[in-house]
Amino acid sequence: MTKTIFKNWTYVKSPSEVEIKKLAKTFKLDDDLIRDALDPFEVSRSEKYDGKTYFFARTPLPNNKGMMLTIPVLFIIGKDFLITITPQDLPIFNKFLNVKNYKQSPISLFMEIFEEIINTYNNSLVSINREIWQASTNIEKINSKDIAQFVDYERITNDYLSRLIQNGSILNQLNNPRYIKLSEDESESAEDLVLNNNQLIDVSKNSLQSVKNIRDAYSTLLSNDLNRVIKLLTSLTIILNVPTMIAGLWGMNVQVPFAKTIYGFGIVLILVLIISIILIKIFRKKDWL
């Protein structure tokens, strides 16, 4: 679908081959670069072709349920126009699609849309960090299901980190006269975008470190619990083996102490109890019980 929102902005969503050729002919664009924007695995990059600047960025995919966590967005900036091309509808454009009249320059509009992309990353990371923080306050109650959720958070954050770094590389090109010429105000806005993007890169790294710390803490707690269980079972095995061993010795068909006294069973039983009590005290002292 191709739609001219403002005089200087054309919004393109999942264009057909006919629309791609029409766009390329109308605005004198490279149709292969337009098709690249529909590739779900396209990375962030910048291209200069026939006086137009092509910025490929990636934005978080809302309500993602599959493996693809971000989606490509192509910005084509010409002398007096901006074209955005995406494989599907994205919320980052809602703010601008509802505006009746927009008088900003194509470059300023591009920066405002890119700011929405950064805000989308930020909102998602804030949500992830909130979940991580809540889990870290009750780390002793974390279970295997929670760890599986953390692995998913780690996968998402890793993807965000790599995409933010790639997006940062194209934002750094904004102040490169070879790609595009900015006014003083636009240059300051570009610097703000770079700063905000870099802050999100730091947030992503911190989130990954937090997830790693929680997983390590969970592994340590699990290992400690396992050691306690092993110690407990070992202690119980030893304590229960002592009566079994003594009973086995006194049950042999040979001469044994107390065999000829009517108090033999009681004496052996007391001996077993004394040894068992001593073992219990030793294991308790070592914190095995």
Side-chain angles (χ1 to χ4, degrees):
M1 180 190 76
T2 302
K3 185 177 181 182
T4 301
I5 308 301
F6 310 127
K7 183 178 180 181
N8 57 0
W9 177 32
T10 301
Y11 170 73
V12 183
K13 178 185 70 175
S14 185
S16 63
E17 187 62 29
V18 174
E19 289 177 312
I20 291 175
K21 290 180 179 179
K22 184 178 179 180
L23 274 173
K25 182 178 180 181
T26 303
F27 294 95
K28 298 181 180 179
L29 306 175
D30 186 324
D31 52 352
D32 288 333
L33 289 175
I34 296 176
R35 293 187 186 93
D36 288 343
L38 306 180
D39 181 1
F41 300 101
E42 186 64 41
V43 298
S44 300
R45 59 190 174 92
S46 56
E47 297 278 349
K48 188 78 174 182
Y49 176 79
D50 196 23
K52 288 91 176 175
T53 305
Y54 296 74
F55 286 119
F56 291 85
R58 295 192 69 92
T59 184
L61 185 63
N63 301 321
N64 63 80
K65 295 182 180 180
M67 292 299 294
M68 187 59 61
L69 305 176
T70 58
I71 193 170
V73 181
L74 172 58
F75 297 91
I76 306 175
I77 302 176
K79 184 178 180 181
D80 55 0
F81 67 84
L82 170 68
I83 300 174
T84 57
I85 302 175
T86 63
Q88 66 181 67
D89 191 25
L90 292 173
I92 60 171
F93 295 108
N94 292 343
K95 172 183 175 180
F96 308 96
L97 294 175
N98 296 325
V99 176
K100 294 182 178 180
N101 188 20
Y102 198 88
K103 298 181 180 180
Q104 295 285 68
S105 66
I107 297 173
S108 296
L109 178 58
F110 159 74
M111 291 184 184
E112 290 197 25
I113 296 174
F114 213 103
E115 185 177 1
E116 288 299 308
I117 293 177
I118 291 177
N119 289 337
T120 305
Y121 277 110
N122 180 67
N123 293 338
S124 184
L125 287 171
V126 166
S127 177
I128 291 174
N129 283 334
R130 186 183 298 113
E131 296 294 330
I132 294 172
W133 180 83
Q134 289 177 351
S136 65
T137 58
N138 297 292
I139 195 168
E140 68 280 355
K141 297 182 179 179
I142 292 178
N143 54 37
S144 299
K145 184 178 179 181
D146 295 325
I147 290 299
Q149 182 65 63
F150 286 135
V151 170
D152 196 43
Y153 288 154
E154 188 173 21
R155 177 175 65 91
I156 294 172
T157 308
N158 261 318
D159 184 71
Y160 283 2
L161 177 59
S162 63
R163 304 311 181 186
L164 285 166
I165 292 174
Q166 293 169 359
N167 284 353
S169 66
I170 70 170
L171 289 174
N172 288 325
Q173 298 292 345
L174 289 176
N175 280 319
N176 185 346
R178 175 177 174 271
Y179 282 91
I180 201 164
K181 293 182 180 180
L182 303 179
S183 66
E184 184 176 346
D185 290 340
E186 290 169 344
S187 181
E188 290 180 0
S189 297
E191 291 175 358
D192 289 339
L193 287 178
V194 171
L195 179 61
N196 293 337
N197 192 79
N198 289 340
Q199 288 175 342
L200 288 182
I201 290 175
D202 292 335
V203 170
S204 299
K205 290 179 179 179
N206 291 335
S207 298
L208 287 173
Q209 187 60 46
S210 296
V211 171
K212 181 179 181 299
N213 290 341
I214 291 176
R215 285 195 291 105
D216 290 345
Y218 174 78
S219 298
T220 301
L221 290 173
L222 190 64
S223 177
N224 184 60
D225 289 342
L226 180 61
N227 287 337
R228 289 185 63 84
V229 171
I230 291 175
K231 288 178 180 179
L232 175 63
L233 293 177
T234 302
S235 302
L236 292 175
T237 300
I238 295 173
I239 292 170
L240 293 175
N241 274 342
V242 168
T244 303
M245 182 180 65
I246 293 176
L249 290 173
W250 257 265
M252 293 187 299
N253 294 322
V254 295
Q255 290 295 323
V256 292
F258 318 121
K260 296 181 179 181
T261 174
I262 60 174
Y263 302 108
F265 177 77
I267 294 172
V268 173
L269 184 60
I270 291 172
L271 178 64
V272 169
L273 289 175
I274 291 173
I275 295 175
S276 297
I277 290 172
I278 292 173
L279 289 174
I280 290 173
K281 287 186 175 181
I282 291 174
F283 290 137
R284 280 188 173 178
K285 187 175 181 180
K286 291 182 176 293
D287 197 28
W288 282 29
L289 289 174

